[in-house]
Amino acid sequence: MPDGTVRHDAPDPTADRVRESVQPGSLRFLAALFSGSTQRPSLEAVYAFEAEVRRIVASASHDAAHARLQWWRGELDRLVAGRPSHPLAQALLPLHDHPAADLALLHEMLVATELDLARLTYVTWQELEAYLFRSSGAPQVLIAATLSPGSGLSPAERDFARRLGAAVRQTEMLFDLERDLARGHLYAPLQGLDGSGIDPQAFSQRRFTDAARAFVDGWSNRVRQELAALPGLLTEPALRSRQRHGLVLGALHARWLERLPHVQDAPGSRTELSPLSRLWTAWRTALRHA
């Protein structure tokens, strides 16, 4: 018979789903781990939701993906109303009462998912920038707000989070370039390709000329410069300490981007940072901005 003892080893579906989505040792896991914030569970919940919507894009069935996307729209509405049913949405519930957290940013991530499912091609860098905000800038702004006091984000923090998200997503695009093209998804803006003397159709078919390789090199150099500029956006030590998570995430992606030339020399590969390199970079960056 029950003896009234509270069991601490009982399954927790919400925590289990978050752990499944935010793998220990991943760049996002380490950024949350070294944030130094009591809000770490909420940070990981945002990343778990991000992983969930990316799984929708990877679905083998286009119809099933759109059905799942539509279901999540309703679930986010239930989250805003304070009565979510999905474990990942329940993990996001603490943000419902956070005065600085704008849950509408989660809907922006669903818009990005819809754009990915449509295999939308962007004409200008400005159009790509709009996608980058929805895909990765929105969760970073939400995370930055979660780490801020009730008064909300400062303009510098909001700009930092937006640009961090764009740089992180572009780093992923550069590493996944051949894989995405093989799946029929061209992220490089058509005007950018045309201005570099590159035939978009040939680029989409992975016929990489010297001009195409120079274009990718120039793109990756711009992302490197953007990642390097991020700490300078937070001029006050208090802001850097509060947004330590983002500084760690940016440093990890900057370090990862150093591996890109090795990927270009071995098409089809996706070189990752070693666990030791990840841990060292995260720890050193967090210590610098403590």
Side-chain angles (χ1 to χ4, degrees):
M1 296 180 62
D3 59 3
T5 302
V6 176
R7 293 180 58 87
H8 295 284
D9 57 350
D12 183 345
T14 298
D16 289 345
R17 286 300 297 269
V18 170
R19 280 194 294 268
E20 289 172 7
S21 300
V22 188
Q23 292 294 315
S26 67
L27 304 191
R28 286 163 170 78
F29 173 88
L30 289 172
L33 177 65
F34 283 93
S35 66
S37 171
T38 58
Q39 299 294 329
R40 177 185 166 190
S42 292
L43 272 57
E44 292 182 343
V46 173
Y47 283 139
F49 177 71
E50 180 186 49
E52 174 71 11
V53 297
R54 291 193 179 188
R55 280 192 290 269
I56 294 175
V57 177
S59 174
S61 169
H62 198 70
D63 290 341
H66 277 285
R68 191 66 179 163
L69 183 62
Q70 186 61 31
W71 185 90
W72 267 108
R73 289 195 180 98
E75 180 67 351
L76 290 187
D77 290 339
R78 289 187 287 275
L79 172 62
V80 171
R83 45 181 179 80
S85 60
H86 193 282
L88 292 183
Q90 290 170 353
L92 290 164
L93 195 53
L95 297 181
H96 180 272
D97 298 321
H98 193 294
D102 181 6
L103 293 179
L105 291 167
L106 298 172
H107 277 286
E108 293 287 350
M109 298 167 68
L110 296 186
V111 173
T113 303
E114 191 167 34
L115 295 173
D116 282 333
L117 288 172
R119 300 288 195 271
L120 190 68
T121 299
Y122 303 99
V123 176
T124 66
W125 287 105
Q126 289 76 13
E127 288 181 0
L128 179 62
E129 188 71 27
Y131 163 80
L132 293 172
F133 173 76
R134 292 185 170 108
S135 177
S136 193
Q140 290 305 323
V141 170
L142 182 57
I143 285 174
T146 302
L147 296 170
S148 72
S151 56
L153 285 176
S154 67
E157 288 174 293
R158 183 175 295 275
D159 186 44
F160 167 80
R162 178 186 59 80
R163 291 170 62 174
L164 169 66
V168 164
R169 185 70 185 96
Q170 289 178 93
T171 300
E172 295 168 343
M173 288 177 178
L174 287 162
F175 273 94
D176 293 334
L177 179 63
E178 290 209 35
R179 186 202 68 178
D180 287 336
L181 291 175
R183 295 176 176 178
H185 205 148
L186 172 65
Y187 283 107
L190 298 180
Q191 284 186 1
L193 293 172
D194 186 64
S196 298
I198 302 166
D199 178 5
Q201 184 174 359
F203 190 86
S204 297
Q205 295 171 353
R206 293 175 288 169
R207 299 202 300 269
F208 293 156
T209 62
D210 289 342
R213 294 188 182 280
F215 172 82
V216 173
D217 286 344
W219 188 2
S220 63
N221 285 335
R222 289 197 300 275
V223 177
R224 286 189 186 93
Q225 292 170 7
E226 184 70 358
L227 288 167
L230 288 174
L233 300 177
L234 303 174
T235 56
E236 300 176 22
L239 295 183
R240 290 195 294 272
S241 178
R242 189 159 71 203
Q243 299 301 335
R244 195 182 316 155
H245 152 272
L247 292 166
V248 170
L249 188 67
L252 285 167
H253 279 77
R255 187 68 182 272
W256 186 28
L257 200 52
E258 293 174 3
R259 304 294 302 163
L260 187 61
H262 299 278
V263 175
Q264 293 171 328
D265 292 339
S269 64
R270 195 181 196 268
T271 304
E272 302 286 355
L273 289 175
S274 69
L276 181 59
S277 180
R278 296 179 186 203
L279 189 61
W280 168 254
T281 301
W283 175 80
R284 182 183 59 182
T285 305
L287 185 65
R288 183 183 305 136
H289 300 294

